[in-house]
Amino acid sequence: MMTKHDNLTTDIYASETMRHAAPVEKIPEKGTTPQIAYRMVKDETYAQTRPELNLATFVTTYMDEEATQLMNEAISINYIDETEYPRVAVMCGRCINILADLWNTPEKNTWKTGALGIGSSEACMLGGVAAWLRWRERRKQAGKPCDKPNLVMSSAYQVVWEKFCQLWQIELRTVPLTEECRTLDPEAAVKLCDENTICVVPICGVTWTGLNDDVEALDKALTKYHKESGNDIPIHVDAASGGFILPFIDPHKKWDFRLDRVLSISTSGHKYGLVYPGLGWVIWKDKQYLPKEMSFSVNYLGAEVTQVGLNFSRPAAQVLGQYYNFIRYGREGYKAVQEASMEVARYCHTEIGKMKCFANYSDKVENPLFIWKMCSTYEKTAKWTLYDLQDKLKQSGWMVPAYSMPANIEQTVVMRVVVRQGFSRDMADQLLTDIRNAVAEFEQLKYPTTSRLKLEKQEHQCGKVFTH
């Protein structure tokens, strides 16, 4: 509503509403015009950087105009209302079928067994809950206690697994990463297993490094362990990134349902599934591996609705976006998009590896992301850190995170680049130029930066000595 000082010709920024601070604690007594409300919210959420320059996020920042239009037109559709929007449920089932096929499902049912999630975090939760319920049922049938379940994975886990274990009171047993073993060590994982292990969770597309755990080697190790101990432990693959990369980049690699112990796989549709945020998927090897307790039925708006999920109401737009992508790209199109991202990632990896101040964390790039650290010899006399480089790049709009590695190798500080659709070779050259310019500027410093002094203090406490 307009105030007495406003009229139809009053400029938005001259309006009385825009002369006051945005509401913080209380809803305003009076409303305002749609144009003013839009600008007030829009101005406060202006991007700190262009989405294409945000190389920290895995989340999709680019879709076709037609896909964006399609999703915008579905913004008011609640996926769960199958009575009003039955075709959305059908499209969701088709997406599950397509993913199950990409992951080489052996299931013969017309509609494969899977579920939709708000993101890969919900999908991970559902995969974990299913493993826990199956384990609990086996224990009950054997007349054994069910009070000490545990889950095994590497220390490079995503926080969702910590949440899952806390919420369901499951012990999280982690295999530390080392400089020699930078992915999950199958033998070390098996040593942490016992009769209370609900599953082992390897990761395809580790967010810390971009590397893949060796699922096939883990499958063999667990099979051997089963023969020796009698403990039959399944695998849930957290393929938040790799689930949409491996089928197209390395289709012959065995990491999916071709392996006996892989009973469920989760992925993120809004990462390399190329859909805007708000979408995850989990697929089970067969209907028998989805506990009946996880399927909830409710009489909703005159129909019996059965769903698997931690959430109930959820947006339908992302389902339409995923199905659109499958039609739009096809297998060849997805392969081309993922290969392009891999090519740019490998190019950046090579060029950064050539810089005397840096050392790539790994010689190989398994997914369109990689990390690097400061070269150990260069670091001894450097007056700056990777945190300084992060801040410097931010001034040019780039979001390139610097962070310390997980427990056991937390003294290692790295930077990471995530290459997604929309990040071109030309943009990569711009980034590399900005990195080189920043390094050249740092090398002219006379005194150590604040972050360098802080690091030196920590290193001295650990017995290391730096010289300038």
Side-chain angles (χ1 to χ4, degrees), residues 284-406:
W284 284 272
K285 195 167 201 167
D286 190 89
K287 190 175 182 179
Q288 64 177 304
Y289 301 117
L290 175 62
K292 294 180 180 179
E293 304 97 302
M294 291 181 65
S295 297
F296 293 88
S297 296
V298 61
N299 189 300
Y300 184 64
L301 298 181
E304 192 74 12
V305 176
T306 300
Q307 63 111 210
V308 177
L310 302 177
N311 295 289
F312 192 65
S313 293
R314 62 183 70 228
Q318 278 72 17
V319 176
L320 272 60
Q322 186 73 85
Y323 192 50
Y324 167 91
N325 276 349
F326 286 149
I327 296 172
R328 161 76 171 88
Y329 293 115
R331 186 182 290 271
E332 289 184 356
Y334 261 100
K335 186 175 188 290
V337 170
Q338 312 302 33
E339 282 184 340
S341 295
M342 288 291 290
E343 186 176 324
V344 173
R346 290 187 179 117
Y347 170 69
C348 291
H349 181 266
T350 299
E351 293 302 307
I352 288 174
K354 292 177 181 177
M355 300 182 195
K356 66 176 183 179
C357 53
F358 299 134
N360 285 321
Y361 188 74
S362 173
D363 293 334
K364 54 187 177 181
V365 178
E366 297 183 332
N367 292 283
L369 62 140
F370 67 94
I371 62 174
W372 71 93
K373 57 184 178 178
M374 198 171 279
C375 178
S376 57
T377 54
Y378 182 91
E379 187 178 26
K380 291 180 180 179
T381 58
K383 295 181 175 65
W384 55 283
T385 70
L386 293 180
Y387 295 111
D388 296 310
L389 180 56
Q390 172 184 277
D391 291 340
K392 189 66 176 178
L393 292 175
K394 192 181 297 183
Q395 295 174 20
S396 300
W398 299 106
M399 296 294 292
V400 184
Y403 54 90
S404 57
M405 292 292 279

Side-chain angles (χ1 to χ4, degrees), residues 236-289:
H236 171 87
V237 182
D238 180 350
S241 297
F244 272 101
I245 297 294
L246 287 167
F248 305 107
I249 298 298
D250 196 359
H252 301 296
K253 184 180 180 66
K254 291 184 179 180
W255 64 277
D256 51 20
F257 293 128
R258 286 170 288 184
L259 300 176
D260 292 339
R261 299 193 168 273
V262 175
L263 301 189
S264 55
I265 303 172
S266 57
T267 195
S268 176
H270 64 222
K271 292 179 181 174
Y272 291 101
L274 310 181
V275 180
Y276 288 138
L279 185 63
W281 300 99
V282 58
I283 311 293
W284 284 272
K285 195 167 201 167
D286 190 89
K287 190 175 182 179
Q288 64 177 304
Y289 301 117

